[in-house]
Amino acid sequence: MIHEPLKVSGGASEKESMAFPADKALVLLVVMAVFVVGSQAMSRLELFGMEIPEDATVTACDGRLVEVSGSQAELLKLHNEERAEHGVAPLCWRTELANSARSHSEDMMERGFFSHDTPEVISPSDRTRSHGYPSAMVGENIHLRQISGVSESNVRDLEGAVEGWMDSPRHRRNILDPRLSEIGVGVAIGKHGGDLHTTGAYTVNFGTLE
């Protein structure tokens, strides 16, 4: 398309006709500044809303209050929200399962693998028994993802992990199985397998002693 030269009437030059009035320029600058400041404030508010406390307290299966990480508590909450939505009784926290889950997340992170079985073919039930959980009926979900934060997961990371599990029939079955009434969660953050970005390795162990 060919553009015609700007036609100017009343003797004004093309340069003069394109000049922006000073008062309008000032108003535009003020509006832009308010928009930028407002956007930055909203971003900070959204970020704060996604932050997870470093520590939290949950109720264990025996009724005791147990101190856990904020990420562990958030994952417990997200699992029980899914179960409540589908009419399944909530999971209670079992420290032995959490210890097994945490050790597996840390092992996957340190050695750069991603599997339910370790390179030595140690299974989830082998690990839970070695951490003092005697039940043969256990389930396990694992997830690996690049996290949003520098050194910690935020709510969106954990929601993404649970959404991924719920989208998978096998993992969804573990979350919603009414026979599995106890849970332990393990989280490890670091560089997985030489990756440059920061990764979260999440392990959830389910079980029942009934």
Side-chain angles (χ1 to χ4, degrees):
M1 178 183 294
I2 299 175
H3 294 276
E4 293 288 341
L6 183 64
K7 304 299 182 182
V8 181
S9 61
S13 69
E14 180 177 342
K15 181 177 180 181
E16 289 171 336
S17 69
M18 296 178 65
F20 203 76
D23 56 342
K24 291 185 179 180
L26 180 60
V27 171
L28 179 60
L29 287 173
V30 170
V31 171
M32 291 176 63
V34 170
F35 176 78
V36 171
V37 171
S39 298
Q40 290 177 343
M42 180 60 71
S43 297
R44 286 195 295 271
L45 287 172
E46 290 175 351
L47 179 60
F48 294 152
M50 293 189 298
E51 285 182 342
I52 298 174
E54 185 175 347
D55 300 307
T57 302
V58 300
T59 302
C61 297
D62 60 6
R64 294 181 299 111
L65 293 180
V66 179
E67 289 190 4
V68 299
S69 72
S71 293
Q72 288 176 308
E74 183 67 20
L75 279 170
L76 171 63
K77 179 176 77 71
L78 292 171
H79 278 75
N80 280 334
E81 286 176 352
E82 292 290 348
R83 285 170 72 100
E85 186 176 333
H86 292 83
V88 184
L91 297 155
C92 64
W93 186 264
R94 178 64 69 174
T95 299
E96 294 87 349
L97 290 175
N99 290 340
S100 177
R102 184 179 64 251
S103 70
H104 190 55
S105 289
E106 292 173 348
D107 192 24
M108 288 193 295
M109 185 63 67
E110 291 172 3
R111 296 202 283 171
F113 72 95
F114 180 67
S115 172
H116 290 287
D117 292 344
T118 69
E120 298 78 21
V121 199
I122 299 174
S123 70
S125 58
D126 292 333
R127 291 193 301 274
T128 54
R129 279 195 297 269
S130 72
H131 283 86
Y133 195 78
S135 175
M137 185 177 180
V138 296
E140 179 176 89
N141 288 348
I142 58 176
H143 186 84
L144 195 70
R145 71 186 292 115
Q146 182 177 348
I147 64 171
S148 306
V150 176
S151 60
E152 295 293 338
S153 303
N154 63 29
V155 172
R156 285 188 180 175
D157 295 323
L158 303 184
E159 288 176 341
V162 175
E163 288 171 3
W165 287 324
M166 289 298 291
D167 287 340
S168 164
R170 184 179 63 177
H171 298 89
R172 178 190 179 94
R173 192 159 50 244
N174 281 340
I175 294 174
L176 300 181
D177 191 336
R179 298 171 300 170
L180 299 172
S181 58
E182 303 181 344
I183 188 174
V185 177
V187 178
I189 306 297
K191 308 294 185 182
H192 181 267
D195 289 342
L196 297 178
H197 54 258
T198 305
T199 300
Y202 309 101
T203 303
V204 179
N205 285 143
F206 307 87
T208 181
L209 291 178
E210 297 178 358

